[in-house]
Structure formats: C-alpha cells, structure tokens
Amino acid sequence: MNKYIAECIGTFWLVLGGCGSAVLAAGFPDVGIGLLGVSLAFGLTVLTMAYAIGHISGCHLNPAVSVGLWAGGRFPANELMPYIIAQVIGAILGAGALFLIASGQPSFDLSAGFASNGFGAHSPGGYSMIAALVAEIVLTLMFIFVIMGATDKRAPAGLAPIAIGLCLTLIHLISIPVTNTSVNPARSTGVALFVGDWAIAQLWLFWLAPIVGGIVGAKLYRLVAKEEQSDH
C-alpha cells in the first residue's frame, strides 16, 4: 500500500501546489505570479515529489504517465488501476483543500473556473476543441517522451526529476492559454468535480487526449531509443 499512498500524497501536492498557485496567487493585485509563476509551480510540485517519493512509487502523479509507462514496458498492467485510483483520490483531496482555503476569501468565485481545464468558451484564450485536443495529445506525448528518456538506465543518474519538472514547466508555458494545461486526467478531475457543470461536460477531452498522447509518446521513445519491451 505504501506506493499507492505515496501516489495519493504526491498528486495531492501537485493539485494544491499547481492549481493553488493559479487560484490563490496568479492574479493577486500588484504582486501576482502570473502565467510564468503558475508554470513554475506545476514543475516544482513534480520536481520536489520526484525526490520525495520517486524511490517509493516512481512518482507518476498522473494516469497518463502510468498508462504511458505501461505502454512503454516500464510498468505492470496489474498496478495501473490502483495507481490511477490513488492519483484521482489525491487530486480530489488537493482540490478540496484548495477550495477550503480559497473560499475563505470574501470575493472567491467558484464559477470563475477554479483552475479547471476547458476549451471553446472555457479556454483562457478561446481556443477550439480541436486545438485543445491537439495541444493535449502532443504535449503529453512530449512529456512522456522526456520521462522515458530521463529515467532510462543510460541517462545521467539522479537528474531525472529536474528534466521532468522543467518539462512540465515548459508545457504550461505553452498551453495555459489554450486549455489551462491538463496533460493529467487526475489534476483535471479534482478541480472539475468542484466546479461541476461545463467542467464535467468537457472533462472527457482531458482524459482522452493525455492518455492517447502518453501511449504514443512511450511507443515513440521505444522506437527512437531502441528500448526493449519488458514482460509486464
């Protein structure tokens, strides 16, 4: 159970740290951290947790990462569902903690989005469903590609969390205006459950696209790196 608890705690931290930076700090008058700050916050949650729990659970924190690593022969199929359940529970708990904090501010408005992911009218930049779908697939593909490469036994030891955290930062710098950046179905689910309505209606894209991207990214890395599939 230790690895499932670790995944739950890690995903809690990702949602509280990443979404929390967007909800609580991004637009704070005069000193708000803005898009760059939110992007860094998401990257830092993964970097810090990778060092904290990477040796316990592998620090996936993301169903698309777990599915991608399975597709790449790095993760056993029989652990997929427990990992995904732990990640979603952690994301919901993180969103719950964030809601309790944010709702303590008199002007808090849940209908403003609560860092939910969306497209069309609910995209920060008004991007279409197709644009959102392409962005989420391609960026998750590259995220898994970097994860596979950084954790390859031939890669420099001990530096993977830095590469992975900075990759997630870069992904957010690119795509916050498009979808508010998901590349993580658990992260999307946690906050969407509190917003309800449109956030739940559009949630399908933020499960489908990251998982497709994760599978393709893992297969592409194996092809490029000539990595042998394990027996998982």
Side-chain angles (χ1 to χ4, degrees):
M1 284 295 295
N2 283 3
K3 52 191 165 188
Y4 307 136
I5 295 170
E7 283 294 302
C8 184
I9 293 170
T11 314
F12 170 92
W13 184 232
L14 182 144
V15 171
L16 182 60
C19 295
S21 70
V23 172
L24 304 175
F28 196 77
D30 300 326
V31 292
I33 61 174
L35 185 152
L36 176 59
V38 174
S39 300
L40 282 169
F42 271 101
L44 288 170
T45 62
V46 170
L47 190 155
T48 52
M49 271 297 152
Y51 281 115
I53 66 169
H55 53 286
I56 300 170
S57 69
C59 191
H60 299 185
L61 318 185
N62 182 340
V65 171
S66 298
V67 172
L69 292 176
W70 162 76
R74 300 270 195 91
F75 191 65
N78 64 353
E79 291 197 17
L80 264 181
M81 194 51 64
Y83 261 61
I84 291 171
I85 290 170
Q87 291 155 3
V88 171
I89 290 171
I92 294 169
L93 292 173
L98 176 57
F99 178 78
L100 289 174
I101 296 167
S103 60
Q105 218 276 348
S107 62
F108 172 65
D109 181 11
L110 189 61
S111 67
F114 198 50
S116 288
N117 303 113
F119 53 83
H122 303 290
S123 158
Y127 286 83
S128 69
M129 182 186 74
I130 296 300
L133 189 68
V134 171
E136 290 289 330
I137 290 174
V138 172
L139 293 173
T140 312
L141 183 161
M142 293 308 303
F143 189 38
I144 301 303
F145 190 91
V146 169
I147 290 171
M148 292 279 290
T151 56
D152 193 308
K153 61 181 179 293
R154 296 167 289 181
L159 299 180
I162 298 172
I164 295 166
L166 289 176
C167 181
L168 189 60
T169 298
L170 176 57
I171 285 168
H172 279 77
L173 287 172
I174 296 166
S175 61
I176 286 177
V178 184
T179 62
N180 242 358
T181 310
S182 171
V183 302
N184 184 337
R187 166 263 189 271
S188 297
T189 301
V191 289
L193 291 178
F194 284 83
V195 175
D197 193 24
W198 64 265
I200 297 292
Q202 295 191 353
L203 187 58
W204 64 270
L205 187 144
F206 302 104
W207 275 87
L208 175 66
I211 287 174
V212 169
I215 292 170
V216 175
K219 297 292 187 185
L220 182 62
Y221 182 79
R222 283 186 51 226
L223 179 67
V224 170
K226 307 293 187 188
E227 188 178 66
E228 294 295 326
Q229 175 109 24
S230 76
D231 293 330
H232 291 323

